[in-house]
Amino acid sequence: MRVLPVWSRVRRWIPAVVIALAALVDLLTPPTVSSAPLLAVAPVTAVSLLSPAGIVGIGLTAMLVQAGLGYVDGTYGWQDDAAVQITLAAVTALAIGLNRSLRTQHVSASRARYAAEVAQRAVLPRPPSRLGSLQIAARYVPAEDMALIGGDLYVVQETPFGVRAMVGDVRGKGLSAVTAVSVDIGVFRYAADHEPDLPSLVECMEGALLRESQRREGLDSIEGFTTALIVQFAGDLSQFHLINRGHPAPLLLHRDGSARVLEPPEEAPPLGITALGSWKSPVETHPFPPGATLLCFTDGVTEARDRAGTFFDPADRVPRMMQSYLRQTGHLPDLTTVLDFLVRDVSRHSDGAPQDDQALLALHRPLPRKDLLAHPL
C-alpha cells in the first residue's frame, strides 16, 4: 500500500504525541494514577516509524518525562520509580530489536519482490505498445500481493503471417503453473513464426503440452491443461481469425462504445488434454473495423463474485463505461484507461482483493488519420 507523503511526515510524530498525552493524563489525574504504562507505549509506537537512534531518543524522553512528573507530583521514590525507569529502558531496547528485525524482513521482502519482477519480465514480458498499426496494452493482476506472476499469460508477436496473439490460463497454481506458462509462451513464439495457419499452430502447441504433461507427476500429469484464445490479424487489420479453446469469450468493442461478445460457434476443450481424445479447432473470422478494440481476459475477471455470489459481467460493465466516457468527453478512452477501469471495476465488484489472477490484453485498430482528426481518441 502506498503511503501518502503528508501522512508519512505526520505519523513520525505519533510517539511524541503519546508522551505528551501521558504527561497530560498524569497532570490531570490524582497522584495515585500513574502514566508509566502509557509512556511505555511510546517506544513501541516508534518501532516502524523511526530509526534506532530515534527510538533511543523517544525512550530517553519517556524516562525523563516520567522522572519529571514524579518530582512535580512529589511522589518520586527511588525504589518504585527506579523499577519504572528500568522497565522503560527494557521496552526501548526491545523496540530497537523489533525495529532491526522489521528492517531485515523489509530488505528480504524487497529482494524477493525484485527477484519476482525479474522472473515476471523473463517469463511474461510485457507486449510492445504497437506492432505496425496495431495498438496494444496489457495488464497482469496477481491474486497474491507478492506473487507477481501465476498461471495466466498473454503474448503478442509479429510473424510472417501477420500479428498473432494468445491469452491463456493454465490449470493449477504455484511453481508448476509458472513452468507451464513458460512452456506455453515458448511454444507459441516458435509455432507462431513457423506454422502457416492457426489450426497448425494449435496442433503444435498440443503436442508440446502433451509432452510437458508426461514429465509432470501426480494430478498435473493427467489434468494439466491451458485454456487459450489465439488470434491472428490480417496484414491490413481488416479482419482477424480466432480460435477459442475453452477460454472466456473476448469482447469486440466498437467506436460507438457498443460491444459484442465473440462466443465460439462450436465448443472446444482446453489445450493439452489430447490424451483424452482429439478435437478440431474451429476458426472464427471477424471483421475488425477502424476504431475497434479486441478485449481479451482470463477467468479471474469473469469469475469474480460479489458478496451475493453474482459473477462479474464484462459484456455489461465495459460497454457502459465506454459509452459513459464517450458522452462525457466526446471520444473513447485509450487502451490504458479501458484496462484501468476494468481492473478497478472487478476489484469493486469483488470487494477488494482479486479472487484469482487476471490477465488482460487489449488490441486496437486505430482510425485512419482523416477520421482521427474528426473524431480524436
Side-chain angles (χ1 to χ4, degrees):
M1 181 180 295
R2 187 170 62 90
V3 179
L4 296 177
V6 174
W7 172 242
S8 180
R9 293 193 297 269
V10 170
R11 66 180 187 158
R12 298 175 65 86
W13 291 95
I14 291 177
V17 171
V18 172
I19 292 176
L21 181 61
L24 183 63
V25 169
D26 191 274
L27 294 173
L28 297 179
T29 56
T32 54
V33 177
S34 173
S35 62
L38 190 54
L39 287 170
V41 172
V44 177
T45 60
V47 167
S48 61
L49 303 177
L50 303 178
S51 65
I55 296 173
V56 170
I58 290 295
L60 291 176
T61 302
M63 295 169 68
L64 291 174
V65 169
Q66 192 274 334
L69 290 173
Y71 280 115
V72 170
D73 293 340
T75 59
Y76 190 86
W78 285 107
Q79 185 173 358
D80 293 337
D81 287 277
V84 174
Q85 294 286 304
I86 292 172
T87 300
L88 291 174
V91 171
T92 301
L94 176 63
I96 293 172
L98 292 174
N99 176 271
R100 291 185 179 277
S101 177
L102 285 176
R103 286 174 180 269
T104 300
Q105 293 178 13
H106 176 72
V107 170
S108 298
S110 297
R111 289 175 178 171
R113 188 171 185 85
Y114 175 75
E117 289 174 350
V118 171
Q120 183 189 42
R121 288 194 292 269
V123 177
L124 188 67
R126 183 175 293 276
S129 60
R130 181 186 290 269
L131 285 175
S133 298
L134 186 68
Q135 297 177 357
I136 306 163
R139 288 286 185 281
Y140 192 93
V141 183
E144 300 179 10
D145 290 338
M146 292 303 295
L148 298 184
I149 185 172
D152 292 10
L153 63 104
Y154 44 66
V155 57
V156 186
Q157 183 168 322
E158 190 167 19
T159 76
F161 314 103
V163 175
R164 288 174 167 176
M166 179 174 72
V167 178
D169 183 2
V170 298
R171 177 197 169 277
K173 298 183 181 297
L175 186 58
S176 64
V178 176
T179 302
V181 166
S182 179
V183 171
D184 282 336
I185 292 178
V187 174
F188 174 84
R189 287 196 179 281
Y190 174 83
D193 277 339
H194 293 86
E195 299 299 335
D197 53 54
L198 292 189
S200 299
L201 189 157
V202 170
E203 185 177 351
C204 180
M205 293 193 67
E206 289 274 23
L209 292 176
L210 178 59
R211 291 190 295 273
E212 176 63 22
S213 67
Q214 292 170 348
R215 300 187 187 103
R216 301 186 188 182
E217 298 179 353
L219 190 62
D220 282 344
S221 65
I222 302 173
E223 297 186 4
F225 58 80
T226 301
T227 68
L229 285 174
I230 301 178
V231 188
Q232 175 178 314
F233 292 90
D236 60 359
L237 299 183
S238 60
Q239 63 181 11
F240 60 87
H241 306 293
L242 172 68
I243 287 181
N244 189 332
R245 293 297 297 266
H247 199 81
L251 294 180
L252 183 60
L253 308 177
H254 296 284
R255 58 187 292 185
D256 62 357
S258 63
R260 182 163 66 94
V261 183
L262 303 183
E263 292 286 356
E266 182 180 343
E267 295 292 336
L271 302 175
I273 58 173
T274 51
L276 303 179
S278 59
W279 290 268
K280 294 182 179 180
S281 297
V283 179
E284 310 168 40
T285 301
H286 299 280
F288 196 40
T293 298
L294 181 64
L295 180 61
C296 310
F297 36 78
T298 56
D299 60 8
V301 172
T302 56
E303 294 183 2
R305 289 176 290 185
D306 61 14
R307 292 185 177 182
T310 304
F311 289 107
F312 182 84
D313 184 7
D316 173 60
R317 304 286 298 183
V318 174
R320 284 200 287 171
M321 181 277 295
M322 299 277 287
Q323 292 168 358
S324 174
Y325 193 98
L326 181 61
R327 287 194 300 269
Q328 294 175 19
T329 64
H331 59 86
L332 291 174
D334 58 24
L335 296 187
T336 299
T337 302
V338 172
L339 295 187
D340 287 344
F341 163 81
L342 185 54
V343 170
R344 288 195 300 268
D345 203 31
V346 172
S347 179
R348 283 194 296 265
H349 182 81
S350 58
D351 197 22
Q355 299 164 354
D356 194 5
D357 295 341
Q358 303 167 24
L360 303 95
L361 181 66
L363 305 144
H364 175 73
R365 180 187 178 187
L367 291 168
R369 183 175 297 274
K370 59 182 180 63
D371 292 341
L372 187 61
L373 294 175
H375 303 282
L377 289 178

